[in-house]
Structures are given as C-alpha cells and as structure tokens.
Amino acid sequence: MTLATKQIIDQSNDTEEIKGVGEQFAAIQQSLEKAFQSQDALAPEEGIRELLSIYDLYLHIESESNPAERFKSLEELELRVEAFKTKYKDFAPKEAVDGIENVQLWAKISRKMISSKVCTLAASVEDNEVKQLGLFYTGLIDLLDIAENYLSFFTQRGRELVKALAQTVISDKTFEDYAKKRPADEITSQALGIRNAAKAILWEIDRHDRKKISYKSLYEEANNALKTDEKEELLKTLRSWREEDINELEKLSDN
C-alpha cells in the first residue's frame, strides 16, 4: 500500500463523512405526539421518553471519538430503534416510521464506515501480503456497498475522500503490476479484486453526479411541458420516476 493511500485513510473520519440525522428527531417527536393524542390506551409520555432516550444515545455516538466504543453504541442504537418500531408500529404515522428507520439506516452505514477504516488501516500495518490485500479488499467492499446503495448519506468531504482513495488505488503501480506480471495466484486475484472495487466506487459516484445533471434537464423539460398541451407525455414521464427521482426534482424546484 502506498504512502498516499495510507494518508487518505488517516484523514477519514466517519463522523465527518456521513451526514448526521439529529435534526430528524424533532419531526419524529411531533408526528408521534400527534398520533399519541388519538390513542387513549397508550401513555404519550412513555413513547416520547423512549424516543428521547434514543436521541440521547445518538448524541453520545456523535460525540464519541473512540471507534470501538462508537461501533458498540451504534449496534445498540440499531437494536433500540428496532424495538421502538416493533412497539409502536401499529399506530405510528408513516413519517415517524420513515424518520426512525432513517436513524437506524444511519447507524448501519456509520458502522460500515468504521469497519472499512479498521480493515484498511489494519492492512497498512500487516506484513503478510495475502492478509494485507485481503483486509484492504474487505475495507473497499464496505465502501462500495455504501456507494452503491447509500451515496446520499455521504457528505461532500466523504465523497471526496472516498473518490480520492479509489483513484489512488487505481493508479497504484503495485496493484497494476500484480495484475500484469504475477502468475494467477491468490495475490493476483486479490489485487484484481481491489482494482475492480475501486473502479466500481468511482463509477457509482460518477453515475450519481451524471444523474444530478439529468435531473436538472428533466425538470426543465417537465416545466416546459406544463406550459404546453403535452400533458399525457408529462404524466407518462412522471409515472416512470421513482420516489428518489421525485425528491431530487423537488429540491431543484425549491432552489
């Protein structure tokens, strides 16, 4: 592993790379309070107290600098959110459920970021070549999973660091030489896997960036169509869009 690669990993910090969700708790609380008012059989205080307890744990996690302790608390947060959902799922409004599930997802992604950093840093000090490449590959696969499924959770800093790491890996002559010169063995296979994972991470980020550009184009087309008689074509286009597409277009509309 090159010095440049290790320096990028050392700069990483999952508290700065993954967007926080603390601001969502107020909306979840409001939504639950409204629902509790119509549920005479349940004491509102109990549910709100449990939610605030989850929020306290979230704040603790955000301030925790020890990766091992943070990881343990993230696991606890996921379990407590799951128990909360199970207890109140029968009457909690959709917006409250969506909000608390987002908190749970944030915990899962934050754990993946910690796992990724632990693996890649362990690779940097591992003497055994096979183990070193295996650890680094595992760390990159965690990053790829986030890039493929949860890219919207990355902060701008997170995206830039992950992109820089992937670009550094791709340009690392060591991995390239393994792929070209060594016989087909375990090391060659792992080196190829690392390069492919890095390329996939870059592709996912670039694809997301291209989508943002296309959203703007689609929004402009839809806006123009509203001023014409092309209503059927507009409705056909809207029906094909997924919820995430609609959210992106709403942001453009707000701006």
Side-chain angles (χ1 to χ4, degrees):
M1 187 186 304
T2 64
L3 178 61
T5 304
K6 187 175 185 306
Q7 286 175 336
I8 292 171
I9 297 168
D10 285 337
Q11 291 174 33
S12 66
N13 182 336
D14 67 291
T15 61
E16 297 177 5
E17 291 159 16
I18 298 297
K19 296 175 183 175
V21 289
E23 75 285 350
Q24 296 189 26
F25 280 91
I28 297 170
Q29 181 176 342
Q30 277 187 338
S31 179
L32 285 174
E33 284 175 342
K34 186 175 180 181
F36 282 139
Q37 288 171 3
S38 60
Q39 298 289 328
D40 297 333
L42 291 164
E45 295 82 3
E46 181 183 353
I48 299 304
R49 207 164 41 239
E50 289 177 21
L51 178 67
L52 292 177
S53 175
I54 292 173
Y55 180 53
D56 285 341
L57 177 57
Y58 167 82
L59 292 177
H60 166 72
I61 293 169
E62 283 282 69
S63 63
E64 179 58 69
S65 57
N66 183 300
E69 290 300 318
R70 183 175 166 85
F71 191 92
K72 191 187 302 182
S73 295
L74 284 164
E75 287 184 315
E76 183 186 346
L77 180 65
E78 285 189 74
L79 291 173
R80 285 170 63 174
V81 169
E82 186 61 36
F84 185 89
K85 286 194 312 181
T86 301
K87 186 172 183 178
Y88 299 110
K89 65 181 179 181
D90 290 338
F91 68 91
K94 183 179 183 303
E95 57 267 26
V97 174
D98 289 346
I100 203 70
E101 284 182 344
N102 213 38
V103 173
Q104 193 175 32
L105 185 57
W106 170 85
K108 174 185 175 181
I109 297 166
S110 295
R111 282 198 302 107
K112 272 189 176 291
M113 285 296 292
I114 293 174
S115 295
S116 176
K117 184 172 182 179
V118 167
C119 285
T120 49
L121 283 178
S124 71
V125 296
E126 175 59 60
D127 293 329
N128 182 288
E129 209 168 19
V130 173
K131 289 182 179 178
Q132 181 189 70
L133 292 173
L135 284 167
F136 196 64
Y137 176 73
T138 300
L140 278 188
I141 289 299
D142 278 335
L143 285 180
L144 176 58
D145 180 49
I146 298 174
E148 285 179 332
N149 301 295
Y150 316 111
L151 195 59
S152 61
F153 275 82
F154 272 126
T155 62
Q156 186 60 37
R157 170 187 162 82
R159 286 162 60 91
E160 289 170 358
L161 278 174
V162 171
K163 196 169 182 178
L165 176 62
Q167 288 170 332
T168 303
V169 169
I170 292 169
S171 62
D172 189 334
K173 292 294 291 180
T174 306
F175 295 126
E176 189 176 343
D177 290 343
Y178 276 139
K180 287 181 178 179
K181 298 176 183 177
R182 291 184 62 89
D185 59 12
E186 189 174 3
I187 290 178
T188 304
S189 176
Q190 287 176 329
L192 282 169
I194 287 169
R195 281 175 61 80
N196 289 337
K199 288 177 181 178
I201 288 169
L202 277 184
W203 186 85
E204 286 294 340
I205 293 175
D206 290 341
R207 181 177 71 91
H208 185 267
D209 291 343
R210 287 197 303 274
K211 277 178 69 175
K212 288 179 75 172
I213 294 172
S214 65
Y215 282 135
K216 185 173 183 180
S217 174
L218 281 171
Y219 176 72
E220 289 172 351
E221 288 179 17
N223 199 36
N224 290 332
L226 283 170
K227 302 170 186 175
T228 70
D229 293 329
E230 302 170 18
K231 299 293 192 305
E232 285 302 316
E233 190 62 33
L234 173 62
L235 289 172
K236 183 179 176 183
T237 303
L238 288 171
R239 290 189 191 105
S240 71
W241 289 345
R242 295 170 299 174
E243 185 177 353
E244 65 180 85
D245 301 327
I246 301 298
N247 291 338
E248 288 292 336
L249 288 163
E250 285 178 344
K251 290 177 188 175
L252 286 168
S253 177
D254 291 341
N255 292 333

